Each structure stands twice: as C-alpha cells, then as structure tokens.
Amino acid sequence: MSLLEVRDLTVTYAGGAAAVRGADLRLAAGEKLGIAGESGCGKSTLALALLRLLPAGTRVGGEILLDGEDVLAMKWGRVRAVRWAGASIVFQGAMHSLNPVHRIGDQIAEPILLHGRAAPAAARRRTGELLELVGLPAARAGAYPHELSGGQRQRVMIAMALACDPRLIVADEPTTALDVMIQAQILRLIERLVGEQDVGLIMISHDLAVLADTCDRLAVMYAGRVVEEGPARQVHEDALHPYGRALSEAFPRIGDPASRFAPRGLPGDPPDPAAVPSGCAFHPRCPAALEVCATQDQALRPAGSGRRAACVHVAEGAGAAEAEVRSGTP
C-alpha cells in the first residue's frame, strides 16, 4: 500500500476558480516526490488540500488516501489528529508562519502537547532534541522568531514538522527568499532527515533543478493538472512534455555555453483558473501545438521507464528517445 495516493483530485475555490483539475499522484514511505510548475499552476492548493487546510467555501472532490484512509472523508476530530502526527507541512516564508510573540521552543512543543505525546517537561526536552536535530543549539528554544536568521527560522519550521513523528511531510517552497548557500544547507538537511526518519516527502518548487537534485520522482503541474511525471533526473534533463522542457530550459546549465548566452524562457503566463482554455490548457503557449490541441485535452499516458506525459506528441508507451516532443516540432 502507498503512503499517499491522490486520485482525481479537484479543487474549486468560491467564485468558480478551478485550481486543481483531476490530479493523480502516488508516494511511498521513504520516497521524495517533487512538484514543479509556475505560480498559479495549483501546486500550493494541492498541498493545502492534502491536510484540508483550504478556506471555507472551497469545493474538493476525488480522494486523498493517507495510509489507505481518505482524508476528505474524515470527521474533523480525525483530521485534527492526523495533522502533525500523520502528516505535517512546512510553509514557505517561516516569518509569516511563526507566531512573533511566542518563543520558538513553545511553538515546537505545542503540537507535542496537543497530541498528548509527552508531559510539559518531556516536551521541553523533545524540543531541545529537535532543535539539535536540525542543526540549532537547544538553548535557542528561548529565542523569538525575529532573533533568528531566515535559515534558522526555516530550520525551526522543519523541527515543528518533525515534532510528532509524522509519516508524511509536505514542504511548500521551503527555501523561498533564502540565499543560495542557506538554500543548499536546508535542502541537504531535509534530504538527510527524510532518509533517517523514513518519512515520505512532497517538495513543491518552481525550480526543476532543485527538485531534480533532491527528489526521487518529479511531477510537473500546469493549469491544475499533472502534465508529466517520472524519475526526477529524467524529467529535468529530458522532459517529454513541452511545458516541462520549457521550465527546465529557463535555468542556465553550468558548463553549457549555449544556455548561458542564449537562455530560453516561455512567453505569457498560466491561464486564469476561472478561464482555462479548451483542449490542452497549454496549447496557447506551446511551440509544438497542433490544431487538435485546441479542442482535445490529453490525459496522462505511460511513456516508458516509469514515466507519464499528457501530450499528443507522446506515443502510448514511448520511451524518451522515441517521443517526438523532444524536437519541439509537430
């Protein structure tokens, strides 16, 4: 049984904006899954849906199976029991997630106490252990969030996520606004802790290179749907879907003069979730679009080597070398 299985997930905000439109994902214990895409593609909405953290009035359909139990069908008491203990989340922007008037030690201890994992004295000891686990001295438990650097605050968020020994951690842009050196430290820390704790990890980012370096598998989202999925390195280096390839090519590659002197981007923006184009949602921006792309949407289909892609150019069961989309021509 998978640790997490998302089946045909749909999320529609009040007002009719369909932020997620039939997403399917699967994650095993100890596995690291990256989710990539531009802002507005549904990544964070999917993350919030996993723990039912979406605002009131949002319509959610499909199934989210955590250890075989549907999160969407849980009663609220069961949902509160699952949060932190079964699955936890590391939000982007730790300064906005931490309470500025509470010491960080109290904030880390709070879920431990709420879930009855330890008495107050033991919770304080556990807090010190968690801080040291993420590379901070236990004595920093008495600090307020503003007394810590950005990287240190992000480490506190990771310590909180680990406080109740969850089976699943969702990290939503965990290195946003951090400099590259601190970003590398946080990524290595997350990777090490996931391996040591044997938890499943979903990491969300717009940066394919970061996800390819950290995760086992990679899913690319566009307009609320997963348009490509497969081994992280393969998706980053040899994307089958034109959108995945455009994301990869948007970042210069070290040692590649062509990408350095002629960086390639993608014109335009993802569609408004309330006005998604008919057919393949990517076709207005796609350099390889055919007439059929404007009228017929494409479902994810097997594309060889544990990969899936939703593109008319990807033949059923084709390997990366056989996919016509690599050439960018119809």
Side-chain angles (χ1 to χ4, degrees):
M1 179 187 297
S2 299
L3 169 61
L4 176 72
E5 191 169 351
V6 178
R7 298 176 181 172
D8 194 26
L9 179 66
T10 61
V11 178
T12 305
Y13 288 112
V20 179
R21 305 181 303 122
D24 293 280
L25 293 169
R26 181 175 295 178
L27 181 74
E31 186 179 24
K32 302 183 291 291
L33 171 66
I35 301 179
E38 296 168 282
S39 296
C41 285
K43 308 183 304 298
S44 293
T45 295
L46 188 150
L48 294 174
L50 296 180
L51 290 174
R52 286 174 60 176
L53 294 170
L54 294 164
T58 305
R59 300 195 307 274
V60 184
E63 293 180 303
I64 300 173
L65 303 179
L66 181 62
D67 277 328
E69 188 176 3
D70 190 354
V71 175
L72 300 180
M74 292 177 181
K75 295 183 177 180
W76 275 112
R78 178 60 181 155
V79 172
R80 287 192 291 268
V82 166
R83 290 174 181 166
W84 295 108
S88 60
I89 186 166
V90 178
F91 295 104
Q92 56 178 309
M95 193 60 183
H96 302 293
S97 302
L98 295 170
N99 191 320
V101 299
H102 287 179
R103 300 180 190 274
I104 62 168
D106 295 334
Q107 298 186 59
I108 296 173
E110 183 177 11
I112 301 174
L113 295 171
L114 286 176
H115 284 271
R117 293 299 183 95
R124 287 193 294 272
R125 289 194 297 271
R126 172 65 173 158
T127 296
E129 294 171 356
L130 288 165
L131 287 172
E132 291 180 349
L133 186 66
V134 298
L136 292 174
R140 297 298 279 164
Y144 289 96
H146 72 272
E147 297 177 308
L148 304 177
S149 69
Q152 289 174 329
R153 287 193 293 266
Q154 203 63 47
R155 290 170 186 265
V156 171
M157 291 295 297
I158 296 170
M160 291 176 66
L162 293 168
C164 294
D165 299 314
R167 298 257 292 147
L168 171 67
I169 294 177
V170 181
D172 186 5
E173 299 274 9
T175 59
T176 296
L178 300 180
D179 64 65
V180 292
M181 294 298 292
I182 300 301
Q183 173 179 278
Q185 293 175 16
I186 295 297
L187 292 174
R188 294 288 80 78
L189 171 64
I190 292 174
E191 192 173 16
R192 175 176 63 82
L193 292 176
V194 167
E196 292 176 354
Q197 306 291 324
D198 194 33
V199 301
L201 172 70
I202 292 179
M203 180 177 289
I204 295 171
S205 178
H206 64 279
D207 191 333
L208 261 70
V210 165
L211 296 177
D213 190 45
T214 307
C215 299
D216 305 311
R217 291 189 302 116
L218 179 58
V220 178
M221 288 189 70
Y222 187 79
R225 286 190 173 176
V226 177
V227 296
E228 182 166 357
E229 183 185 4
R233 286 287 180 187
Q234 291 184 30
V235 174
H236 174 47
E237 297 174 1
D238 187 24
L240 299 179
H241 194 282
Y243 181 61
R245 191 171 68 253
L247 284 181
S248 180
E249 292 177 348
F251 294 89
R253 298 176 187 269
I254 296 175
D256 181 2
S259 69
R260 177 184 175 188
F261 294 108
R264 302 170 68 177
L266 185 65
D269 298 295
D272 185 333
V276 177
S278 60
C280 173
F282 185 60
H283 84 267
R285 305 171 72 192
C286 181
L290 303 176
E291 288 187 13
V292 69
C293 300
T295 57
Q296 295 183 15
D297 201 357
Q298 300 295 316
L300 279 173
R301 62 188 64 153
S305 304
R307 303 182 67 175
R308 299 189 299 164
C311 180
V312 68
H313 293 292
V314 179
E316 185 81 20
E322 299 169 322
E324 295 179 32
V325 74
R326 288 182 60 199
S327 65
T329 59

